[in-house]
Amino acid sequence: MKESGKAVAATMCIGPEGDMAGVSTGDCAVRLVKAGADIVGVNCHFDPDTSLKAVKLMKEGLEAAKLKAHLMVQPLAFHTPDCNKQGFIDLPEFPFALEPRIATRWDMHKYAR
């Protein structure tokens, strides 16, 4: 990918607790950048608030390692403050009853600001 001259973006389905192998969120970001990613972040297993907490940890990890990268967040549009390390897929409502957890347009507006 680097040879193409295009930016390399890499996001992970992790939250503030890190990955399933026990690697911290900050260290995941460091590993991605060292592997060549220009943009790192989290995606789709956690709500906006939890995703932002995870990206903050990524930023702190990159700063501690004296590395730079753009950060990206692609949150899930459900409220998941009570989920565990695997995110929304471990909620009792998954996969057929998540509607009460839907983030409203006002929730997403708050996140976007």
Side-chain angles (χ1 to χ4, degrees):
M1 290 295 294
K2 286 294 208 180
E3 293 81 24
S4 72
K6 306 287 185 198
V8 175
T11 61
M12 300 182 72
C13 292
I14 62 171
E17 295 180 30
D19 73 7
M20 296 303 292
V23 180
S24 73
T25 306
D27 198 34
C28 285
V30 169
R31 291 179 184 196
L32 290 171
V33 171
K34 286 184 176 180
D38 302 298
I39 306 163
V40 297
V42 297
N43 64 54
C44 76
H45 271 231
F46 297 90
D47 63 26
D49 291 337
T50 305
S51 296
L52 287 173
K53 289 174 189 170
V55 158
K56 182 179 182 205
L57 293 171
M58 286 184 148
K59 180 180 179 186
E60 291 170 358
L62 291 170
E63 288 172 347
K66 296 187 179 2
L67 295 171
K68 290 189 177 196
H70 294 282
L71 299 170
M72 179 167 60
V73 182
Q74 298 170 292
L76 183 68
F78 293 108
H79 293 287
T80 62
D82 54 332
C83 65
N84 64 23
K85 203 172 207 176
Q86 292 193 91
F88 81 110
I89 62 173
D90 284 336
L91 292 172
E93 299 94 337
F94 180 81
F96 300 116
L98 289 165
E99 290 82 5
R101 292 179 174 266
I102 291 175
T104 68
R105 62 183 168 177
W106 305 114
D107 296 327
M108 298 310 286
H109 179 267
K110 180 182 171 189
Y111 156 73
R113 299 290 169 201

